[in-house]
Amino acid sequence: MLNLLLQTDFKNNGSNTDLKRFRQQSFIIEYLYRNGKASNPELAKLTNMSSPTINKLIVELIEYGIVQDLGYGDSIGGRRPNLYGINPNAKYIISIDIDCRMIKMGVFNLRNEAVSEIITYFDNVKNKQQVFEGIFKRLDQLLSQLNYKTSRFLGIGISLPGLIEAKTGETYSDLLIDGLSLEDAFQNRYDLPTFTGNDSRVMALGEQAFGAARNKNNVLCINICDGIGMGMIVNGKIYEGKSGFAGELGHINVVDDGDLCTCGKRGCLETVASGTALIHLAQKGISEGKQSVLTELTQGDLHEIHVSTIIKALENGDAFAIDLFSKAGAYLGKGIAGLIHIFNPEMVIIGGKVARARHFLIDPIQQSLNKYTIHRIKQDTEIVTSTLEENVKLLGAVAMVMNTLFEQENALLN
Ligand SMILES: [Zn+2]
């Protein structure tokens, strides 16, 4: 991080004493970034260094504009300690979230706060070239409004939908733009390191850094959008599997000989419990004569049924909509029961737009868990909906950039 913050190559230029100092300062920066603030005695204790040494390192970091003096903190007996924190505007991160149908982007500071407007618009993610042309155009506009030099940015983080083409096995991150990989295309255009991640794993990173999974080591984050994906935090780390495909929860089989799934198989969890499935089941039920407030909400146009419309119907106490979510929740619960037996997680976070149904979805999941899990194992697991709401993946992509840069620097220094 120091490397990027100072725009120097200290590994090649510095002497051994410099390297030691960089290592110590790098630790302080990462600690302050992750914990918000710390006092000199706290840092001295953590690093086994003397208070004067810490002071010297901090004074230098303040001169560089990376660290800020935050003034006096609360006393724990004796003199009130002076607190230090990261200068939030020392550097910025560009974050992009390509969702089921919606694309978002924004610029964040080192306190993980948005410093630009969050641009949100709809696009058809199936047309990949068009998606990226649209992103380039809007990002160019956003950056020209901010008018910051490239050197003020640390990198770009992109959350990508976990779509896998059934025929080719191609994923969104395999995409080439003008013969370049996605990362290289962004890196070339903006001259910034670019990192991409599967949306469910990016969501897990967001929950781990800023949400319900903070300070937890074993958490499953289930992302229910058009499809169903899962990010897994195992022993504090994101689990990816051999080829990065771990967490394809949507494609476990739950219905024998069920409906055809986008993956080419039949009866996947996605065919009965995803956003796409809920819309399809709502349309089917109504065209077969089921009574529902959805008819009124959409003025009879079944194509106007979205997940948000069904959630609106739920909130109106619509029995048909409640029934749809009960069935979806029961299938999800069955899938999650299997996961709980395998992973023994301390928490399962349900996120994505379908999770905005909150207790209408969580209650049937719980009922299904009561039915299918061993009580002693289930007791360990808390089931919650995400509290980070819409910006979880933008924040997750910021965390992805920061985690990767810290890891790279630590590898370089150690
Ligand atoms: Zn499938």
Side-chain angles (χ1 to χ4, degrees):
M1 192 62 44
L2 199 56
N3 219 2
L4 282 157
L5 289 172
L6 299 180
Q7 305 284 317
T8 68
D9 184 0
F10 53 72
K11 184 77 179 179
N12 293 323
N13 294 332
S15 66
N16 278 343
T17 346
D18 286 341
L19 198 61
K20 192 177 161 203
R21 197 176 78 244
F22 284 138
R23 203 176 283 145
Q24 292 162 338
Q25 288 180 325
S26 182
F27 175 88
I28 294 174
I29 292 172
E30 183 165 357
Y31 187 83
L32 292 179
Y33 172 73
R34 296 200 185 282
N35 296 280
K37 58 195 169 200
S39 65
N40 180 318
E42 196 180 335
L43 290 167
K45 201 172 157 197
L46 276 166
T47 55
N48 267 331
M49 286 188 281
S50 72
S51 190
T53 312
I54 291 286
N55 194 48
K56 229 172 96 187
L57 295 170
I58 285 181
V59 165
E60 215 172 60
L61 289 173
I62 291 175
E63 273 168 24
Y64 298 152
I66 302 173
V67 166
Q68 269 182 343
D69 187 333
L70 300 177
Y72 292 113
D74 295 329
S75 168
I76 40 161
R79 204 158 64 91
R80 288 193 303 161
N82 214 34
L83 293 175
Y84 301 96
I86 286 280
N87 171 6
N89 298 311
K91 292 280 169 175
Y92 302 104
I93 297 114
I94 297 167
S95 183
I96 302 169
D97 170 18
I98 303 172
D99 202 340
C100 319
R101 292 163 207 283
M102 200 193 271
I103 294 167
K104 287 184 179 189
M105 62 181 81
V107 175
F108 290 76
N109 67 15
L110 293 182
R111 215 181 274 151
N112 312 303
E113 301 157 334
V115 292
S116 73
E117 61 169 319
I118 302 289
I119 295 181
T120 304
Y121 62 98
F122 290 93
D123 206 343
N124 181 3
V125 297
K126 300 246 159 71
N127 189 340
K128 298 169 189 171
Q129 281 294 343
Q130 179 194 307
V131 164
F132 286 100
E133 277 159 27
I135 290 174
F136 287 151
K137 196 176 103 197
R138 286 175 179 86
L139 186 54
D140 290 348
Q141 281 168 359
L142 185 72
L143 295 178
S144 76
Q145 277 166 24
L146 284 174
N147 202 19
Y148 295 155
K149 279 191 197 144
T150 305
S151 60
R152 297 201 66 186
F153 294 95
L154 283 174
I156 305 175
I158 309 175
S159 167
L160 299 168
L163 303 175
I164 297 176
E165 302 281 339
K167 286 192 194 102
T168 60
E170 182 196 58
T171 70
Y172 229 79
S173 44
D174 294 332
L175 178 71
L176 294 176
I177 305 173
D178 299 330
L180 294 171
S181 75
L182 192 59
E183 277 102 345
D184 288 346
F186 274 82
Q187 179 126 16
N188 277 11
R189 191 180 176 99
Y190 297 102
D191 195 21
L192 288 170
T194 303
F195 308 99
T196 60
N198 164 281
D199 56 359
S200 304
R201 278 199 289 279
V202 170
M203 174 189 152
L205 282 169
E207 294 290 349
Q208 186 184 39
F210 315 109
R214 224 182 128 99
N215 303 319
K216 293 196 164 43
N217 283 319
N218 294 288
V219 179
L220 304 177
C221 299
I222 299 175
N223 179 21
I224 316 176
C225 213
D226 279 12
I228 301 173
M230 176 171 63
M232 291 170 276
I233 301 167
V234 178
N235 293 330
K237 294 244 179 286
I238 301 284
Y239 181 81
E240 301 206 341
K242 178 175 182 277
S243 313
F245 291 139
E248 285 297 338
L249 178 63
H251 301 289
I252 61 165
N253 183 281
V254 289
V255 187
D256 284 342
D257 221 14
D259 288 345
L260 190 65
C261 179
T262 52
C263 72
K265 313 279 177 202
R266 282 187 180 278
C268 295
L269 184 58
E270 260 184 36
T271 65
V272 286
S274 64
T276 312
L278 283 163
I279 292 168
H280 174 70
L281 291 166
Q283 290 168 333
K284 189 164 169 260
I286 289 172
S287 59
E288 285 169 4
K290 286 267 196 286
Q291 296 296 310
S292 166
V293 70
L294 280 169
T295 313
E296 210 178 295
L297 288 172
T298 58
Q299 293 168 338
D301 182 358
L302 295 185
H303 296 292
E304 285 303 310
I305 298 180
H306 307 289
V307 170
S308 57
T309 341
I310 308 175
I311 292 176
K312 206 176 273 173
L314 280 178
E315 286 156 358
N316 280 317
D318 185 68
F320 173 64
I322 292 171
D323 196 39
L324 284 177
F325 269 82
S326 296
K327 285 181 182 146
Y331 280 119
L332 281 165
K334 211 170 169 179
I336 295 169
L339 297 171
I340 286 179
H341 287 143
I342 296 167
F343 286 99
N344 184 212
E346 52 200 295
M347 182 177 269
V348 175
I349 303 174
I350 317 276
K353 63 184 170 191
V354 173
R356 286 182 208 146
R358 306 225 172 257
H359 66 274
F360 290 108
L361 183 66
I362 297 295
D363 292 352
I365 289 177
Q366 289 282 15
Q367 270 180 16
S368 181
L369 288 178
N370 289 338
K371 205 161 142 189
Y372 297 114
T373 49
I374 295 169
H375 183 66
R376 174 65 193 86
I377 304 179
K378 182 185 168 278
Q379 262 182 340
D380 285 347
T381 311
E382 203 183 336
I383 315 278
V384 299
T385 50
S386 173
T387 52
L388 292 175
E389 297 282 341
E390 289 118 76
N391 287 337
V392 58
K393 282 182 282 165
L394 280 179
L395 287 169
V398 170
M400 174 170 66
V401 171
M402 294 304 284
N403 288 350
T404 316
L405 292 176
F406 279 125
E407 268 167 33
Q408 287 177 351
E409 183 167 279
N410 290 336
L412 205 67
L413 283 168
N414 293 314

